[in-house]
Amino acid sequence: MPELPDVEVYKQRADAWAVGGRIQHVSAPQPEILEGGSVQSLGRELHECRLQRTRRHGKFLFLGLDSGRWLVLHFGMSGRLERFDCSQERPAHTDFSLELEDGTCLAYVAPRKLGLISLIDDPDDFIAERELGVDALSVDQDSFLDLAKGRRSGVKCWLMSQQILAGLGNVYSDEILYRARMHPKTKVSDLNEDALRGLFAARAEVLEISIEAGADPQRLPDDFLLPHREAGAACPRCDGTIRPLKACGRTAYLCPDCQPPNGQ
Ligand SMILES: [Zn+2]
């Protein structure tokens, strides 16, 4: 499931591939992905618009148009952004694409559905309406410490709550907790300030290194959990074994030796 690092990589792709380009044609082989409008109305509205800028908040990508409006994309369970030559066959599972004046198409590709594309007036209003928390990459340390105050939930649940900190899901919350050597079910209210500062730093390191690696698990450093994230795998840091654990309704992975319960 695409999380903050993946969407940040898609933002970089949109910046490199599409910003500055003028939209000639819109196609939506899977029109159900569009929210609040038909392909025809979207096509009319976007025709001849130039893509001016991009923005990301949590797991949402916003494409700013010279009309002043924005396309917002959420990548659901499996979505990604691709580019193809419009004269060639589009990639399998293309749900939506924008044909640009240079003959390239920016494609939203999703083998599994549940994503979302919509035309909106203002990203800030969209973020407020969805009650999204502060972006998990750009949050500053004081805000991060404030967000933890009075929270009695497990730290994994807290990290994954989009209304508190937008952008983290099951995989990257595990990665951050692994780096911080913290058990997923540790109560946030049981973390002292040093532990929270360590968690804040682990979040920054994991996100920055993952984005630098193109959010590609194959390119992540070997001491990351993600390349070893399966039951029975050897912990790259100690003699321990990676184990699954039900936490916050998801299957978390951790090294119980590096991340003991109530350890800080
Ligand atoms: Zn370990």
Side-chain angles (χ1 to χ4, degrees), residues 96-217:
F96 177 84
S97 69
L98 297 173
E99 182 178 341
L100 304 176
E101 60 195 338
D102 67 357
T104 63
C105 277
L106 188 69
Y108 175 105
V109 178
R112 291 155 73 194
K113 301 294 176 266
L114 299 179
L116 148 80
I117 297 176
S118 185
L119 195 60
I120 59 165
D121 289 326
D122 181 28
D124 289 320
D125 290 347
F126 180 88
I127 290 162
E129 282 160 17
R130 299 232 164 193
E131 298 180 343
L132 295 175
V134 60
D135 180 68
L137 180 62
S138 55
V139 63
D140 63 58
Q141 184 169 267
D142 286 347
S143 305
F144 188 83
L145 297 179
D146 277 349
L147 288 169
K149 282 184 184 150
R151 298 286 180 172
R152 297 189 53 77
S153 57
V155 64
K156 180 175 171 70
C157 261
W158 181 72
L159 286 173
M160 291 203 313
S161 169
Q162 299 304 298
Q163 279 66 48
I164 296 171
L165 213 53
L168 303 176
N170 194 28
V171 168
Y172 284 96
S173 59
D174 277 359
E175 193 69 59
I176 290 166
L177 292 169
Y178 177 75
R179 193 170 190 91
R181 297 176 184 263
M182 210 173 266
H183 192 278
K185 290 191 173 177
T186 307
K187 279 187 181 170
V188 176
S189 52
D190 287 343
L191 297 171
N192 63 26
E193 190 163 321
D194 274 355
L196 284 169
R197 286 179 192 277
L199 186 62
F200 176 80
R203 166 211 57 90
E205 288 162 9
V206 163
L207 294 179
E208 284 162 14
I209 292 169
S210 302
I211 292 164
E212 187 67 32
D216 177 354

Side-chain angles (χ1 to χ4, degrees), residues 178 181 234-242 254-259:
Y178 177 75
R181 297 176 184 263
C235 171
R237 226 168 26 191
C238 75
D239 288 335
T241 304
I242 304 301
L254 75 159
C255 171
D257 293 332
C258 294
Q259 299 165 263

Side-chain angles (χ1 to χ4, degrees), residues 4-126:
L4 189 156
D6 308 277
V7 182
E8 182 64 24
V9 169
Y10 304 155
K11 177 185 185 299
Q12 293 171 359
R13 290 181 182 174
D15 287 339
W17 294 345
V19 166
R22 196 178 287 283
I23 297 167
Q24 297 298 318
H25 184 70
V26 173
S27 76
Q30 296 292 343
E32 62 269 31
I33 194 137
L34 302 176
E35 194 176 272
S38 65
V39 188
Q40 290 75 16
S41 65
L42 194 62
R44 275 196 301 275
E45 179 128 8
L46 296 186
H47 184 65
E48 294 291 322
C49 275
R50 195 177 288 281
L51 284 162
Q52 276 190 323
R53 57 190 174 278
T54 63
R55 180 174 164 186
R56 184 194 54 72
H57 188 93
K59 302 178 191 174
F60 290 91
L61 176 62
F62 302 93
L63 305 178
L65 305 158
D66 62 358
S67 64
R69 303 194 80 193
W70 297 75
L71 263 182
V72 55
L73 287 73
H74 187 276
F75 294 89
M77 301 293 286
S78 65
R80 62 182 193 273
L81 214 53
E82 296 284 344
R83 178 170 62 165
F84 66 100
D85 182 332
C86 305
S87 64
Q88 307 289 313
E89 197 172 336
R90 63 175 176 250
H93 308 297
T94 297
D95 291 345
F96 177 84
S97 69
L98 297 173
E99 182 178 341
L100 304 176
E101 60 195 338
D102 67 357
T104 63
C105 277
L106 188 69
Y108 175 105
V109 178
R112 291 155 73 194
K113 301 294 176 266
L114 299 179
L116 148 80
I117 297 176
S118 185
L119 195 60
I120 59 165
D121 289 326
D122 181 28
D124 289 320
D125 290 347
F126 180 88

